[in-house]
Amino acid sequence: MKELSNEKQVEEQVEEVVEETVDTENQQEETVEESVEATLQTEIDQLKQQLEEQENRYVRLQADFDNFRRRSRLDAEAAQKYRAQSLVTDILPALDNFDRALQVNTEDENTKSVMKGVEMVYRQLVEALQKEGVEAIESVGKPFDPYEHQAVMQVEDEAYESNTVVEELQKGYKLKDKIIRPAMVKVNQ
């Protein structure tokens, strides 16, 4: 019986060792699982952060591209709108010469007919420029505007209010809403 009792004790000890081993293995498995879960959670958090950074970068790139497209469209519209600017700038001195020629008084019939032809050419030139959006800047009697006028002289004239354009020495022109050349004027003090 002692042998049975010893066997039982041995069996019980074996069972205890097995249970302890199983418990230890379970604890190790739980520790490993917790460690794996923590590692996975860290990786998930890193991936979420990377995704968020990529999404932010994408949104910024999209906004930059939209701004680029808008700027390109505005530049193209401005180029189209002011395409005639260099031509107008080159023609303005000829227009000034026509103005001066038309101010000459003539008595001779031949000269009058030549002046009539000059006037016709001048009108055609002005009409062609008007079709492109060029218009003369009105100056005399208007308040002095430094964007539209270039004051070259100041005079005292009681017929005009202070800071008013008295005389236009050279016409100014604008192309649509852009000043091509300011008018040279005399301004009342």
Side-chain angles (χ1 to χ4, degrees), residues 112-127:
K112 282 184 180 180
S113 67
V114 168
M115 290 302 284
K116 200 172 196 177
V118 168
E119 186 179 346
M120 288 171 57
V121 172
Y122 174 76
R123 271 188 278 139
Q124 284 179 334
L125 243 171
V126 169
E127 287 173 7

Side-chain angles (χ1 to χ4, degrees), residues 131-147:
K131 285 180 184 175
E132 286 297 321
V134 176
E135 55 188 66
I137 297 172
E138 297 292 324
S139 298
V140 178
K142 303 250 175 168
F144 176 75
D145 180 355
Y147 295 108

Side-chain angles (χ1 to χ4, degrees), residues 86-124:
S86 66
L87 178 63
V88 170
T89 305
D90 292 342
I91 290 177
L92 289 182
L95 210 55
D96 293 338
N97 289 333
F98 273 111
D99 271 336
R100 285 189 212 75
L102 290 172
Q103 291 175 0
V104 172
N105 289 329
T106 60
E107 305 277 328
D108 185 18
E109 282 300 315
N110 287 337
T111 309
K112 282 184 180 180
S113 67
V114 168
M115 290 302 284
K116 200 172 196 177
V118 168
E119 186 179 346
M120 288 171 57
V121 172
Y122 174 76
R123 271 188 278 139
Q124 284 179 334

Side-chain angles (χ1 to χ4, degrees), residues 17-35:
V17 169
V18 168
E19 282 180 21
E20 285 176 15
T21 306
V22 168
D23 286 342
T24 305
E25 286 178 359
N26 285 342
Q27 287 175 355
Q28 286 176 350
E29 283 180 15
E30 287 176 6
T31 306
V32 168
E33 284 179 10
E34 288 173 3
S35 174

Side-chain angles (χ1 to χ4, degrees), residues 149-167:
H149 306 119
Q150 179 181 357
V152 292
M153 294 177 72
Q154 279 192 331
V155 295
E156 284 192 37
D157 190 342
E158 293 178 11
Y160 292 96
E161 291 182 25
S162 178
N163 206 29
T164 301
V165 175
V166 174
E167 184 181 341

Side-chain angles (χ1 to χ4, degrees), residues 31-96:
T31 306
V32 168
E33 284 179 10
E34 288 173 3
S35 174
V36 168
E37 283 181 23
T39 304
L40 288 175
Q41 189 60 44
T42 303
E43 286 182 23
I44 288 172
D45 291 343
Q46 287 175 349
L47 290 174
K48 282 180 180 178
Q49 184 179 1
Q50 286 176 352
L51 178 62
E52 186 176 313
E53 289 172 2
Q54 292 298 326
E55 285 176 346
N56 288 339
R57 184 171 176 237
Y58 172 75
V59 167
R60 283 192 304 275
L61 285 173
Q62 186 66 37
D64 286 346
F65 183 68
D66 289 344
N67 289 338
F68 170 75
R69 276 197 329 228
R70 184 179 47 79
R71 276 192 309 272
S72 296
R73 183 179 40 84
L74 292 175
D75 289 347
E77 288 173 3
Q80 178 65 24
K81 186 175 184 180
Y82 301 114
R83 73 186 186 289
Q85 182 174 345
S86 66
L87 178 63
V88 170
T89 305
D90 292 342
I91 290 177
L92 289 182
L95 210 55
D96 293 338

